[in-house]
Amino acid sequence: MIQEGDKICVGVSAGKDSLTLLVALAELRRFYPKRFSLCAVTVDLGFPGADFGEIAELCRRLNVEYRIVPTEIGKIVFDVRKESNPCSLCAKMRRGALHAAAKEMGCTSVALGHHFDDTVETFMLNLFYEGRIGCFSPVTYLSNTGICLIRPMLYVPEKQIRAFAAAASLPVVESKCPANGNTEREKMKQLLRTLEREHKGLKHRIFGAIERGEVDGFKVSGGAAGDARETTAEGDCQ
């Protein structure tokens, strides 16, 4: 996932996942065999009351360049478009703003905080609501920007991230989104939690099936990305 000389932009949503990823990559710089630099970007959706001052201070302590990108995505999604499915449009617009900022800052990669549970939930959401076998990829090349998306925490369970964020007193900013906690993903999370109680190890078996099926770049070896990057017609980095 990380190559010599990479400049990695961490997409910091201000939640526990992205902040944990930021701290982990900042520490990784000290001993990773390939040198890389780091910056962080928060796309401000424009909801009132969001304060990223503590995150800026964390980045200062970690010696990480930090940029806040102001937008009116919240207003567009909820007030102008009045989307019945706000998450889809919001995600597309956030990605666009994040990738544009990363490109402006000279980054070669954008790191996202998706974890083990996100992987299983996304796979099941695609199955339930789209009728297809699919998930996000561990590493994806964006041909329109020349940037690679990487997801370094895919093997980390959410409970470990939650525990680290609490132990490290990370400055998590509560989401101001009106749809927070009332999404299809949240419903799937609750369903999987119920099924996991009845069928111990279910999520690990689903994740294993994704690996064994080599769904969207996952591999049983646990190596989501090799040492060399190869661009395919579909735009994936290996």
Side-chain angles (χ1 to χ4, degrees), residues 35-230:
R35 292 173 297 175
F36 66 93
S37 58
L38 207 58
C39 65
V41 169
T42 293
V43 177
D44 184 353
L45 303 182
F47 295 119
D51 182 2
F52 305 108
E54 290 189 59
I55 295 176
E57 173 59 23
L58 172 65
C59 288
R60 187 195 65 77
R61 295 199 307 269
L62 295 173
N63 193 27
V64 171
E65 179 185 2
Y66 181 51
R67 179 182 295 187
I68 300 172
V69 179
T71 74
E72 293 189 346
I73 292 175
K75 180 179 180 181
I76 293 170
V77 171
F78 289 98
D79 299 335
V80 178
R81 294 283 297 267
K82 302 184 188 306
E83 289 287 316
S84 57
N85 180 22
C87 297
S88 178
L89 178 60
C90 180
K92 290 178 182 178
M93 296 180 74
R94 281 189 290 115
R95 283 197 298 268
L98 174 61
H99 299 166
K103 187 69 175 177
E104 289 175 7
M105 298 171 79
C107 297
T108 55
S109 301
V110 171
L112 302 177
H114 294 121
H115 48 66
F116 174 91
D117 297 79
D118 286 329
T119 304
V120 175
E121 290 161 14
T122 299
F123 178 83
M124 295 298 287
L125 283 166
N126 287 335
L127 184 63
F128 274 47
Y129 295 104
E130 298 183 26
R132 67 182 180 89
I133 302 297
C135 190
F136 45 63
S137 298
V139 181
T140 304
Y141 179 70
L142 305 177
S143 57
N144 60 330
T145 62
I147 289 175
C148 265
L149 293 184
I150 62 174
R151 296 175 167 92
M153 298 201 302
L154 291 182
Y155 292 92
V156 184
E158 184 176 18
K159 63 181 181 181
Q160 291 184 7
I161 294 172
R162 188 181 297 111
F164 174 80
S169 299
L170 296 183
V172 174
V173 177
E174 191 68 28
S175 173
K176 304 296 181 181
C177 176
N180 187 40
N182 188 31
T183 63
E184 297 298 341
R185 179 171 291 276
E186 182 61 30
K187 293 174 184 176
M188 180 58 68
K189 184 186 293 288
Q190 297 302 325
L191 174 60
L192 285 167
R193 187 172 296 164
T194 298
L195 291 172
E196 180 73 23
R197 284 197 296 265
E198 298 175 358
H199 308 280
K200 297 297 184 185
L202 174 65
K203 287 192 288 187
H204 283 84
R205 290 192 291 275
I206 294 174
F207 193 95
I210 295 171
E211 290 183 306
R212 288 188 293 277
E214 298 192 355
V215 175
D216 292 327
F218 283 82
K219 296 183 185 298
V220 176
S221 64
D227 288 337
R229 290 179 176 172
E230 300 175 0

